[in-house]
Amino acid sequence: MMLYPVYVHQDKDSAYGAIVPDLAGVHSAADDPEALPRLIQEAVELMYDGETRAPPPPLPVNIHRRNPQFTDGFWMLVDIDLSKVNTRAVRLNISLPEHLVGKIDRAAAAKHMSRSAFLAMAAEHALATPGG
């Protein structure tokens, strides 16, 4: 899961519109802003369905706040579960110490994730971290 900044705006007599600036083309709308996180998750899954590349990591919300396009609304941070994004998987065979596999499996189970999803999340996190 990864926190993405989402810009929310509402024109007079309309639903709340939501834009995910880091994910071009991902947007949604709802009458109730509390529904937006679920709808944004669905929009991300639809947008990246069958894509070969995963969604890019988010930029800090402060960078987006400087954009004059985003001035009349408010920001939400939405936790997007990237393990549900159906990007084309590549099968690989790796060897790890047995004790490490056990730790990975326990951590994945605690997060209700598969081993593969957990390892992908850990790799994405390590690569998004400076020096990663």
Side-chain angles (χ1 to χ4, degrees), residues 6-112:
V6 174
Y7 176 72
V8 182
H9 62 282
Q10 184 182 33
D11 294 329
K12 186 177 180 182
D13 300 323
S14 71
Y16 290 91
I19 300 168
V20 185
D22 293 307
L23 305 175
V26 175
H27 51 84
S28 192
D31 291 329
D32 183 2
E34 285 79 16
L36 287 173
R38 176 182 53 81
L39 295 172
I40 290 293
Q41 176 71 42
E42 291 174 7
V44 170
E45 290 174 31
L46 286 172
M47 181 62 119
Y48 286 91
D49 184 47
E51 291 290 319
T52 57
R53 292 192 297 168
L59 295 173
V61 70
N62 287 337
I63 290 175
H64 296 300
R65 283 186 178 143
R66 296 181 200 140
N67 185 332
Q69 177 184 354
F70 307 124
T71 56
D72 295 329
F74 62 92
W75 290 93
M76 296 173 67
L77 289 175
V78 175
D79 207 1
I80 297 176
D81 186 352
L82 296 179
S83 71
K84 293 182 179 180
V85 174
N86 186 19
T87 54
R88 189 178 134 249
V90 175
R91 187 169 187 82
L92 64 125
N93 184 13
I94 62 172
S95 298
L96 297 170
E98 186 174 7
H99 76 278
L100 182 56
V101 172
K103 287 181 179 180
I104 291 167
D105 288 347
R106 287 187 294 280
K111 293 182 177 291
H112 307 287

